[in-house]
Structure formats: C-alpha cells, structure tokens
C-alpha cells in the first residue's frame, strides 16, 4: 500500500477522504444524540426517517447530478460539494425541531451524492493498474472505517469536555480541509465525457448496465445484505446502548467503534486474500456472516443477552460488511469503459443506497412500534434472502467485465 500512497495525486485524494470521513463520523454520533435529545425513546424513528431521506437524496440526486456535471472539471465538482456540505453542517447545531433535521440532511446528502461518485470514478484514472487499484480500495475501506472507529472514539473523548452540539463544528472542519486538499491536488485529465443520448438515457445508463451484467446483479443482492446490517447498527445502536442496556453516550461510541474495528480488520487483510481468492467467494462469505450476525442480534434481544455479546456481534457485522464493500469496486472497474465509468460508479452508489430506503425504516419504525427484537428479526430475514439470491444472480461461470456491447457507450 506504500507504493500507492507514493502517488502524489492519490495521496492527497486519500487524505481528503480521511478528513471528510472523520468529520462525517462526528456528524453520525452528534446526529444520533441530537435525535435522542429532541425525541427521547423515539430517537430511532427520527434517525430512521432522517437516514431514509439521506438515501432518497442518494438514489435520485446522484444519477441526475452525474449526468449534469459530467463535462465539468472533477476538481470543481468535488470542492463545490465539500463547501456546500460544510455550510449545511454549520447550521445543524441550531436545530431545535425534528423537521429541520430532515431538511438539512437532504441538502447535505445531496451534495454528498454529487461528491462521492465523482471521487470514486476518479481513482481508477489516477491508479490504472489493477494491483494498485485493489490496494487503493483497501485503503478507501480503511478510511471509511475511521468513521466507525476513530471518529466515535474521538467523539467520546470530546464529549467529556464539549456538548454534542459542538461536535458538528468538527464536521465543518473536516469538509473544509477536504476541499483544501482536493484544491491543491494535481489530478490527471480524465477522458472527455461523451454526452451521447438524452439526459434520461445518461441518467439511467449505469442502472441498465447493472441489470445486464451477472456480477453486478449479484452485487445488487449483496448491497441489500450490507444495508440490512448497517441499518441495524446506525439506527439502533443508540437505543441498545442507552435504553436496552442502560449505558451512556460513551457506550454508543464504543459499540460503533467495535463495528468499525471488525471492518478495519478485513480491510487490512483483504488485498493479500483477494490475490488468491476469487471476489465471488470472498463476498459471498461476507453475506453469510451478515445473516448470522443479524440472527445473533435478534437472539441477543429475545433471550436477552449481555453488553459484551452485543459488542462482539457488532464486530462480526463489521467484518461481513467489509468483505462485501472492499472488493465491490473491482467489479465496477472491470465492467466499465472510459465512457461508462462515471455512470457505473454512480449506479452502484445510487442502487446500493436505494437498499437503505427499505432497511432504515425497518430498523427505525419497526423498532419503535413493534419492538427491537422484531426489527432485528426482519433485517435478519432480509439479509438471508439476499445471500441466497447471490447464488442465482452471480453464477460461478460468469466473468467480470461481461458487459453487452450495446451497453458500452
């Protein structure tokens, strides 16, 4: 991974990703505590709604923005999105009603829906060799794990001297620093975008390639399993820690850190494993672990279990999530051409987050109305069905990159 970081453009982009995600991690903790402060025991429903709005922005804004900004310089797109996110994060400490959370989350995540696909599609241009790209994916996974591991730990430390409202200022700093790093990076010229077809054609191109490609159909099923596990962790950890086990704000951060630690362990070892093991086998095993972990969460609540068991289950869910997320971009890269790469990466961003429109309401609303065991049970069923579907959608004989010729431009 050291040779990958030796590339100056990638090093700055990776650094920008780290600081932005550190800020986003503080936002995750602060938003959960803000929801608990405003809604108490109904915080899960508030978070479920806010995160569903976030997913709606990702699903519908991302493909539209990808088509609209395809001719603009990538650097301008990334810096502009970071500045918008910083401005919105600055407003969040002034929120005193739940509807305000929903509005600001939509605007902030619309900017993220523009930033992330553009960022991800730029990395294969900076690192064209697959060996380097695989290492970059693991580093990217590690950066995301900082949101679940380092950020909660940092939040726990800051909460001893600051109010949770002041955590939002860390988010602002992260986005501003990210914008500065991108602004100073010397990025290679991306292939000129070819605006073929109507806006609707370009907006839906990536999704149509997904439907036609066996590996990407399997990835869609895996995305749903990841969404089931992630929704349980992000929406209901605050309820488990504060209400079920009677813990503190620090316990919320510790549980999220365990989830991040499991994911980080996989990200560190994945490059070596993927040199010897097919992506399909590795990712399928991750889906099985998610099904088992969610079933364990249901049993933990139904029996009930103990706090250390929950921490172990959260680490297991982190492992399974990373086993799917880390190699997923390899499938996208193989299926893409220079002209379709932004659309395929945007489609993965949009379709994967569409799964959360199902799982966030299940985690939040079913947990608030029918009880936490019911929410965990439903999510376990969703993950199990998704795991079974992978065998049908992604047969062993399929080959990455088998995009129909009619879909390549």
């Amino acid at each position: 991974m050291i040779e990958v970081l030796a590339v100056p453009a990638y090093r700055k982009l990776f650094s920008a990703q780290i600081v932005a995600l550190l800020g986003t991690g503080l936002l995750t903790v602060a938003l959960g505590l803000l929801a608990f402060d405003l809604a108490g025991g109904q915080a899960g429903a508030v978070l479920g709604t806010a995160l569903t709005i976030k997913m709606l922005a990702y699903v519908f804004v991302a493909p539209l923005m990808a088509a609209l900004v395809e001719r603009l310089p990538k650097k301008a797109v990334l810096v502009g999105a970071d500045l918008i996110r910083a401005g919105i994060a600055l407003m969040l400490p002034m929120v005193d009603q739940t509807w305000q959370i929903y509005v600001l989350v939509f605007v902030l995540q619309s900017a993220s829906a523009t930033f992330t696909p553009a960022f991800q599609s730029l990395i294969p241009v900076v690192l064209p060799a697959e060996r380097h790209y695989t290492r970059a994916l693991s580093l990217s996974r590690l950066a995301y794990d900082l949101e679940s591991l380092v950020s909660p730990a940092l939040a726990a430390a800051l909460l001893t001297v600051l109010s949770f409202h002041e955590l939002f200022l860390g988010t602002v700093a992260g986005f501003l620093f990210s914008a500065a790093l991108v602004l100073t990076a010397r990025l290679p010229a991306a292939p000129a975008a070819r605006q073929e077809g109507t806006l609707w054609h370009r907006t839906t191109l990536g999704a149509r390639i997904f439907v036609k490609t066996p590996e990407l159909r399997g990835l869609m099923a895996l995305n749903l399993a990841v969404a089931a596990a992630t929704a349980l962790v992000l929406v209901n950890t605050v309820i488990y820690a504060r209400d079920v086990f009677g813990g503190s704000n620090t316990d919320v951060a510790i549980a999220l850190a365990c989830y991040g630690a499991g994911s980080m362990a996989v990200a560190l070892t994945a490059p070596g494993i993927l040199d010897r093991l097919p992506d399909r086998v590795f990712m399928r095993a991750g889906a099985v672990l998610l099904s088992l972990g969610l079933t364990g969460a249901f049993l933990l609540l139904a029996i009930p279990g103990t706090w250390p068991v929950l921490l172990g289950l959260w680490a297991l869910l982190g492992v399974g999530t990373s086993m799917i997320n880390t190699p997923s971009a390899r499938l996208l890269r193989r299926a893409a051409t220079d002209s379709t790469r932004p659309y395929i990466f945007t489609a993965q961003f949009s379709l994967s987050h569409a799964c959360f429109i199902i799982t966030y309401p299940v985690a939040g609303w079913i947990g608030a109305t029918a009880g936490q065991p019911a929410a965990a049970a439903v999510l376990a069923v969703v993950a199990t069905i998704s795991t079974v579907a992978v065998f049908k959608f992604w047969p062993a004989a399929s080959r990455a990159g088998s995009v129909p010729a009619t879909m390549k431009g």
Side-chain angles (χ1 to χ4, degrees):
M1 293 185 186
I2 294 177
E3 59 183 320
V4 174
L5 290 172
V7 179
Y10 176 73
R11 185 170 61 248
K12 285 203 172 183
L13 289 175
F14 179 63
S15 300
Q17 184 181 28
I18 287 177
V19 295
L21 286 172
L22 283 171
T24 302
L26 295 179
L27 175 67
T28 299
V29 176
L31 195 60
L33 296 175
L34 175 62
F36 193 84
D37 185 58
L38 295 177
Q42 296 300 307
V46 173
L47 275 180
T49 301
L51 293 173
T52 301
I53 291 172
K54 168 184 174 178
M55 294 306 112
L56 289 171
Y58 281 3
V59 171
F60 295 108
V61 174
L64 177 61
M65 291 304 298
L68 290 175
V69 305
E70 63 183 340
R71 299 295 294 271
L72 298 178
K74 284 287 194 296
K75 181 180 290 189
V77 172
L78 297 178
V79 171
D82 264 339
L83 293 178
I84 291 172
R85 294 194 292 182
I88 297 301
L90 194 59
M91 300 180 189
L92 282 168
M94 297 178 281
V95 164
D96 58 7
Q97 298 183 53
T98 56
W99 70 265
Q100 296 170 345
I101 293 179
Y102 303 151
V103 172
L104 293 178
V105 162
F106 178 79
V107 178
L108 187 148
Q109 300 306 336
S110 293
S112 293
T114 304
F115 179 95
T116 304
F119 178 90
Q120 292 173 339
S121 67
L122 189 60
I123 302 304
V125 179
V126 175
L127 299 171
E130 179 161 329
R131 180 174 178 273
H132 291 162
Y133 185 56
T134 300
R135 270 66 186 170
L137 293 179
S138 289
L139 285 171
S140 180
R141 187 67 248 162
L142 287 171
Y144 278 106
D145 291 337
L146 288 173
E147 181 180 348
S148 300
L149 181 61
V150 178
S151 292
L154 178 61
L158 291 175
L159 284 170
T160 62
V161 294
L162 302 174
S163 72
F164 70 83
H165 289 89
E166 293 170 305
L167 290 183
F168 289 114
L169 299 180
T171 300
V172 175
F175 289 144
L176 291 177
F177 194 20
S178 171
L181 286 168
V182 172
L183 194 61
T184 58
R186 299 184 64 178
L187 303 179
R194 298 183 339 206
Q195 288 190 326
E196 296 182 355
T198 64
L199 178 62
W200 175 253
H201 170 83
R202 301 196 308 275
T203 300
T204 61
L205 177 61
R208 288 184 283 116
I209 292 175
F210 260 73
V211 172
K212 295 290 186 179
T213 310
E215 292 79 14
L216 301 186
R217 289 201 300 268
L219 180 57
M220 285 194 290
L222 291 168
N223 286 336
L224 186 56
V226 168
T230 306
L232 186 75
V233 172
L234 293 188
V235 174
N236 288 334
T237 293
V238 66
I239 305 299
Y240 291 0
R242 294 289 301 270
D243 279 357
V244 176
F245 291 99
S248 64
N249 290 343
T250 301
D251 290 321
V252 176
I254 290 172
L256 292 173
C258 287
Y259 176 76
S263 182
M264 183 173 288
V266 172
L268 287 169
T269 57
I273 296 173
L274 291 171
D275 284 342
R276 302 185 301 272
L277 197 66
D279 294 341
R280 177 179 176 271
V281 175
F282 189 70
M283 298 171 79
R284 184 176 61 188
V288 171
L289 289 182
L290 293 183
S291 299
L292 293 175
L294 288 169
T295 301
F298 163 71
L299 294 175
L300 173 76
L301 297 169
I303 294 177
T306 62
W307 175 247
V309 172
L310 181 137
L311 297 181
L313 287 172
W314 262 221
L316 180 65
L317 292 175
V319 168
T321 298
S322 190
M323 289 177 71
I324 294 171
N325 283 340
T326 299
S328 62
R330 285 160 54 103
L331 307 183
L332 306 178
R333 180 178 182 269
R334 293 169 191 156
T337 65
D338 286 342
S339 61
T340 62
R341 185 180 296 114
Y343 301 109
I344 290 178
F345 274 84
T346 299
Q348 163 63 1
F349 182 81
S350 183
L351 293 172
S352 63
H353 287 94
C355 298
F356 289 95
I357 297 177
I358 300 171
T359 60
Y360 276 148
V362 167
W365 300 340
I366 292 182
T369 57
Q372 296 301 327
V378 172
L379 291 172
V381 170
V382 169
T384 301
I385 293 173
S386 301
T387 302
V388 173
V390 173
F391 289 86
K392 175 178 175 60
F393 294 153
W394 190 357
S398 65
R399 181 173 60 85
S402 54
V403 181
T406 55
M407 305 295 291
K408 292 198 174 193

